[in-house]
């Protein structure tokens, strides 16, 4: 009866490793034919959200598992093929491969009156199976259901080119000689715009709202490593904001100098965009910034400032919806649109259900999911206990109030935003 782990990407492997280390019986269900999640899919030619030019934005040392570091022979920011190979080697080293059922998609997860969980899955042959577990660990990620503008821009139905989401983008070479408009300023938008600019005849980046663009390194230090230096963590948040904004002004100047909108908020009050390439590609004339799309007219994309571009394709890099179709509606995303989990892991009103990796840190996620996984392994084994549901609800409410105060809303992605250092300290107190 044991534990069912859903997903064999970075988070699922961390959960499986923690359970195995505790001697807990489990099975891991993975819909893909191998481990690695988004990191193996570009090489396998499967639907995203990975793409051929995908690289780590976080340093190798902080992204590898604690018990199995990434090899020193890899670059500081490895590409998707290296990360996929590393995750496969970790699964083999940890003895996890034989405990993963590949090509197995989870169709439903339902709690029974006796508090057990019934998991219905479908294997590669199409055969369905129903099994009972005491615990279910969801580590399937949350970047599978694309979020597109609603309503679509006027004229979208008659646009003469191709409209797609980043989920369906694979390689800039597929657009050689074409004119492409990329919409967004998040991680995938800046990566895809830079990638396209090496192949497309013209690459335009349509930006509705300014975001802080941060290079991978400041003062020669990877920014995720710098964020954990004692001299940096000793600062107050206001001091950290002032320090980083001064460093950014020195490193790249004002974003308006590149034709991009200035952020209307301080850094760390919204997710930042990590990129070493975008601003350079703009300065080299390879990427042309434009404001938001106003409407489409035949093959023309008309922007809110009245300018227009002929386009063969529009790539929307507008994020993903939190969607767990195998779970009941309202879990873990509550009525307000916010993720409601105790310590970002536990669903208070669904005993035995846990989530690993449903956080969005400014920095590497690996040590966070390792800490989550060790805690869940203890909860499953009975060596750690949860407080009453009311106490968990109070923690969730306080956390969401904090994210709302900092980010302006506690919906969607902001409701899973965490700071690496404080979150690890919180998890450490649970593991002490």
């Amino acid at each position: 009866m044991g534990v069912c782990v859903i997903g064999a990407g970075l988070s699922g492997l961390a959960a499986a490793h923690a359970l195995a280390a505790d001697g807990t019986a489990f099975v891991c269900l993975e819909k893909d034919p191998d481990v690695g999640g988004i990191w193996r899919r570009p090489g396998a030619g499967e639907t995203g959200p990975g793409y051929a030019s995908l690289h780590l934005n976080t340093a190798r040392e902080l992204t590898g598992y604690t018990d199995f570091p990434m090899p020193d022979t890899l670059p500081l920011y490895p590409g998707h093929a290296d990360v996929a190979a590393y995750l496969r080697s970790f699964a083999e080293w940890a003895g996890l491969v034989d405990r993963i059922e590949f090509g197995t998609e989870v169709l439903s997860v339902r709690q029974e009156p006796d508090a057990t969980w019934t998991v219905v899955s479908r294997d590669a042959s199409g055969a369905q199976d129903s099994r009972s577990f005491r615990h279910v660990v969801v580590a399937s990620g949350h970047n599978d259901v694309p979020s597109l503008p609603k309503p679509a821009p006027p004229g979208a139905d008659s646009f003469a080119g191709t409209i797609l989401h980043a989920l369906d983008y694979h390689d800039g070479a597929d657009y050689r000689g074409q004119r492409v408009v990329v919409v967004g300023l998040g991680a995938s938008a800046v990566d895809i715009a830079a990638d396209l600019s090496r192949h497309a005849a013209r690459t335009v980046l349509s930006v509705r709202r300014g975001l802080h663009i941060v290079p991978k390194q400041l003062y020669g230090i990877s920014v995720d490593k710098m964020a954990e230096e004692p001299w940096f963590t000793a600062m107050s948040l206001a001091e950290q904001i002032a320090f980083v904004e001064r460093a950014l002004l020195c490193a790249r100047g004002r974003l308006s100098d590149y034709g991009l909108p200035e952020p209307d908020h301080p850094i760390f009050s919204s997710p930042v965009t990590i990129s070493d390439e975008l601003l350079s590609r703009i300065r080299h004339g390879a990427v042309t910034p434009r404001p938001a799309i106003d409407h489409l007219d035949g093959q023309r994309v008309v922007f809110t400032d009245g300018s227009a571009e002929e386009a063969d394709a529009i790539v929307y890099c507008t994020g993903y919806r939190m969607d767990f179709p195998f779970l009941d509606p309202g879990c873990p995303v509550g009525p307000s649109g916010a993720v409601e989990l105790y310590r970002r892991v536990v669903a208070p009103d669904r005993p035995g259900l846990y989530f690993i990796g449903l956080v969005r840190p400014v920095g590497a996620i690996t040590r966070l999911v390792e800490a989550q996984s060790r805690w869940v392994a203890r909860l499953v084994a009975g060596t750690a206990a949860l407080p009453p549901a009311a106490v968990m609800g109070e923690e969730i409410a306080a956390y969401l109030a904090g994210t709302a105060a900092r980010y302006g809303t506690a919906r969607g992605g902001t409701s899973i935003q965490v700071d690496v250092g404080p979150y690890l300290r919180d998890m450490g107190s649970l593991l002490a």
Side-chain angles (χ1 to χ4, degrees):
M1 192 171 278
V3 183
C4 176
V5 177
I6 302 174
L10 185 145
S11 296
L13 292 177
H17 179 47
L19 291 167
D22 260 19
T24 299
F26 72 91
V27 63
C28 180
L29 307 182
E30 169 56 55
K31 66 180 179 181
D32 288 339
D34 204 348
V35 304
I38 66 170
W39 294 102
R40 59 164 293 281
R41 291 179 196 170
E46 298 171 11
T47 299
Y51 36 86
S53 61
L54 182 64
H55 281 70
L56 283 179
N57 278 339
T58 52
R60 176 193 67 230
E61 298 94 328
L62 296 181
T63 311
Y65 296 108
T66 304
D67 294 338
F68 190 80
M70 285 191 177
D72 292 340
T73 53
L74 291 181
L76 185 60
Y77 303 106
H80 72 83
D82 286 332
V83 178
Y86 164 75
L87 292 174
R88 175 70 189 191
S89 63
F90 171 77
E92 293 171 350
W93 169 83
L96 304 177
V97 176
D98 291 341
R99 304 175 79 167
I100 302 172
E101 295 183 13
F102 294 108
T104 303
E105 180 181 7
V106 174
L107 302 179
S108 68
V109 176
R110 299 290 180 265
Q111 191 168 30
E112 304 298 340
D114 64 356
T116 61
W117 291 88
T118 297
V119 177
V120 178
S121 60
R122 179 172 56 210
D123 66 19
S125 72
Q128 291 192 17
D129 189 16
S130 179
R131 284 171 277 187
S132 180
F133 298 92
R134 289 202 177 277
H135 307 274
V136 174
V137 179
V138 179
S140 54
H142 52 95
N143 291 327
D144 286 324
V145 180
S147 177
L148 289 164
K150 291 183 179 180
D157 290 343
S158 57
F159 178 63
T162 301
I163 297 177
L164 66 151
H165 187 271
L167 183 76
D168 300 308
Y169 177 90
H170 180 66
D171 192 341
D174 297 334
Y175 300 86
R176 189 176 305 279
Q178 295 188 36
R179 301 156 298 181
V180 186
V181 175
V182 179
V183 180
L185 196 60
S188 60
V190 299
D191 278 358
I192 288 172
D195 184 37
L196 280 166
S197 71
R198 294 178 172 83
H199 304 278
R202 183 166 175 78
T203 303
V204 172
L205 183 65
S206 171
V207 179
R208 177 181 60 86
R209 178 184 181 229
L211 294 176
H212 290 277
I213 298 176
V214 179
K216 292 184 178 181
Q217 298 189 33
L218 286 172
Y219 300 112
I221 306 172
S222 185
V223 292
D224 53 327
K225 295 175 72 175
M226 185 183 77
E228 299 186 19
E229 292 287 341
W231 58 266
F232 187 82
T233 57
M235 298 180 187
S236 67
L237 179 60
E239 290 170 333
Q240 291 176 348
I241 290 172
F243 176 85
V244 173
E245 289 188 342
R246 284 195 301 268
L248 291 177
L249 190 62
C250 178
R252 52 144 172 87
R254 295 177 59 81
L255 292 177
S256 56
D257 295 337
Y258 298 83
L260 294 168
E262 289 289 344
D264 59 2
H265 54 279
I267 197 166
F268 304 143
S269 63
S270 175
V272 301
T273 297
I274 306 293
S275 176
D276 281 340
E277 291 196 277
L278 177 68
L279 300 182
S280 174
R281 299 305 289 168
I282 291 174
R283 281 282 165 88
H284 285 83
V287 175
T288 301
R290 289 282 186 263
I293 294 175
D294 183 76
H295 66 277
L296 308 179
D297 180 14
Q299 204 154 11
R300 295 171 69 244
V301 180
V302 182
F303 303 96
T304 54
D305 65 352
S307 63
E309 296 276 350
E310 296 283 329
D312 301 294
I314 300 173
V315 184
Y316 279 101
C317 301
T318 44
Y320 298 85
R321 289 193 294 107
M322 300 260 184
D323 190 63
F324 299 89
F326 48 82
L327 292 172
D328 288 332
C331 180
V333 181
S336 69
V339 174
E340 300 178 356
L341 296 174
Y342 175 64
R343 305 293 184 180
R344 326 290 73 79
V345 174
V346 175
D349 57 345
R350 292 169 172 82
L353 181 64
Y354 314 97
F355 292 79
I356 301 295
L358 195 54
V359 288
R360 182 179 293 169
V362 180
I365 195 174
T366 309
R367 285 179 300 149
L368 279 63
V369 300
E370 287 183 309
Q372 291 177 333
S373 298
R374 290 195 298 272
W375 184 47
V376 167
R378 292 189 183 184
L379 292 172
V380 166
T383 56
L386 293 170
V391 174
M392 291 192 279
E394 290 172 2
E395 189 275 342
I396 294 169
Y399 167 77
L400 293 179
T403 61
R406 180 167 171 180
Y407 301 107
T409 179
R411 295 176 60 85
T414 61
S415 68
I416 59 172
Q417 196 77 21
V418 298
D419 293 322
V420 173
Y423 186 74
L424 284 176
R425 286 194 292 272
D426 287 346
M427 294 305 298
S429 68
L430 298 173
L431 293 166

